[in-house]
Amino acid sequence: MVGVLDDVLPYYEKFNTLNTFGQLRRWRDMAARLAAREDTVLEIGPGSGGFAATLSYGELYCLDPSLRILEYARQELHDDGAQFVGGIAENLPFDDGLFDIVFCIFSFRDFMSKAAGLREIKRVLKEEGRICIVDVSFPEDGILKSIVNFHIHRIAPHLSALAFPRDKRRVWKDKHYPEFLRTLEAFGGASQYARMLTDLGFREVDMRLLFGRSAFIMTGVK
Ligand SMILES: C[S@@+](CC[C@H](N)C(=O)[O-])C[C@H]1O[C@@H](n2cnc3c(N)ncnc32)[C@H](O)[C@@H]1O
């Protein structure tokens, strides 16, 4: 997904807003409320910087494998104090116990190894520090599964294309959207990830399904 995002960064906020029927902002706000003004915060996978821009923090670190994405997010954030660091979640370039809170907002889905990423996040959190993950989810059964399937295959490719200038819509629909869909389908339902967090020793794991079980916000404490 990293290559795709690199190509579509200027349109990311708009197509994600369209695809989530405007829920994007609400979900990000729910997550952002967990950070306090004095916190040392890590956002893994800032993308175009839309979530980071809504955060309160004492110190902010944004980590991403793509230097182009980091540069884009840095320009969007307008904060010379924030740190933009190249790297991957599965091998975080930070000392143990540094952060009060770590956010993965629509980036957890892209981790090559979910367990390795979560172990690393736990390592870099302070005692009592928190993790917050927001991502999309596939309803595992019932009518909602059919509705979400219909949406992502039949509606979303066309709806999200409206975020792009006319000459870029075809490449989005034929090349980039299918790649996005592949990561979504491989990710599956949310419940397995709450179990994973608990198995890795996080406490007070809380999973809240959102918008017809098509997304979730999950938190846990080290
Ligand atoms: C969809 S964007 C998320 C954008 C943003 N957080 C938001 O609120 O919409 C996913 C981000 O995760 C990054 N990413 C992908 N794989 C990663 C990994 N293994 N470790 C860290 N970041 C990763 C991508 O480069 C991209 O910036």
Side-chain angles (χ1 to χ4, degrees):
M1 192 58 195
V2 179
V4 173
L5 203 68
D6 261 7
D7 286 346
V8 302
L9 269 174
Y11 316 104
Y12 175 81
E13 292 294 316
K14 206 166 159 198
F15 75 69
N16 231 355
T17 301
L18 285 169
N19 261 357
T20 61
F21 297 113
Q23 296 296 303
L24 176 68
R25 180 154 176 207
R26 199 176 138 249
W27 298 342
R28 280 182 176 159
D29 285 350
M30 286 169 73
R33 280 198 286 275
L34 299 173
R37 272 213 327 246
E38 60 280 7
D39 282 351
T40 302
V41 176
L42 170 63
E43 186 191 3
I44 296 182
S48 57
F51 174 69
T54 68
L55 280 172
S56 297
Y57 52 84
E59 281 182 68
L60 175 65
Y61 294 75
C62 294
L63 173 126
D64 205 281
S66 162
L67 298 183
R68 196 163 143 217
I69 285 178
L70 288 172
E71 181 53 26
Y72 191 97
R74 193 184 65 73
Q75 286 181 21
E76 289 296 300
L77 200 59
H78 306 296
D79 177 1
D80 292 342
Q83 308 280 323
F84 293 84
V85 182
I88 57 169
E90 295 87 335
N91 185 16
L92 291 172
F94 302 111
D95 290 341
D96 298 359
L98 187 60
F99 298 102
D100 294 290
I101 185 157
V102 176
F103 290 102
C104 309
I105 311 295
F106 305 113
S107 61
F108 181 59
R109 186 174 73 236
D110 288 338
F111 291 8
M112 297 295 279
S113 166
K114 311 285 185 272
L118 293 175
R119 260 188 230 106
E120 276 293 88
I121 290 170
K122 187 157 175 255
R123 180 183 67 73
V124 301
L125 279 171
K126 296 177 182 173
E127 293 304 322
E128 303 295 324
R130 281 173 304 166
I131 180 172
C132 172
I133 298 177
V134 174
D135 223 308
V136 291
S137 169
F138 248 79
E140 280 153 63
D141 47 43
I143 183 78
L144 285 172
K145 183 176 178 183
S146 310
I147 293 172
V148 169
N149 250 322
F150 185 77
H151 173 65
I152 61 174
H153 286 278
R154 299 295 176 86
I155 300 176
H158 309 289
L159 190 62
S160 54
L162 298 175
F164 293 81
R166 274 179 195 284
D167 62 330
K168 293 192 163 43
R169 286 182 191 165
R170 178 59 50 204
V171 70
W172 166 251
K173 279 200 243 183
D174 293 349
K175 183 171 166 229
H176 293 138
Y177 186 82
E179 174 63 13
F180 163 76
L181 197 58
R182 197 187 55 71
T183 66
L184 192 66
E185 290 182 321
F187 189 51
S191 56
Q192 57 185 311
Y193 301 116
R195 277 196 302 277
M196 194 181 274
L197 218 59
T198 305
D199 290 347
L200 290 170
F202 283 90
R203 298 181 289 109
E204 299 172 38
V205 173
D206 183 57
M207 160 75 74
R208 210 171 134 193
L209 294 167
L210 306 164
F211 205 57
R213 293 194 270 147
S214 62
F216 68 91
I217 179 165
M218 179 166 75
T219 54
V221 177
K222 175 170 171 179

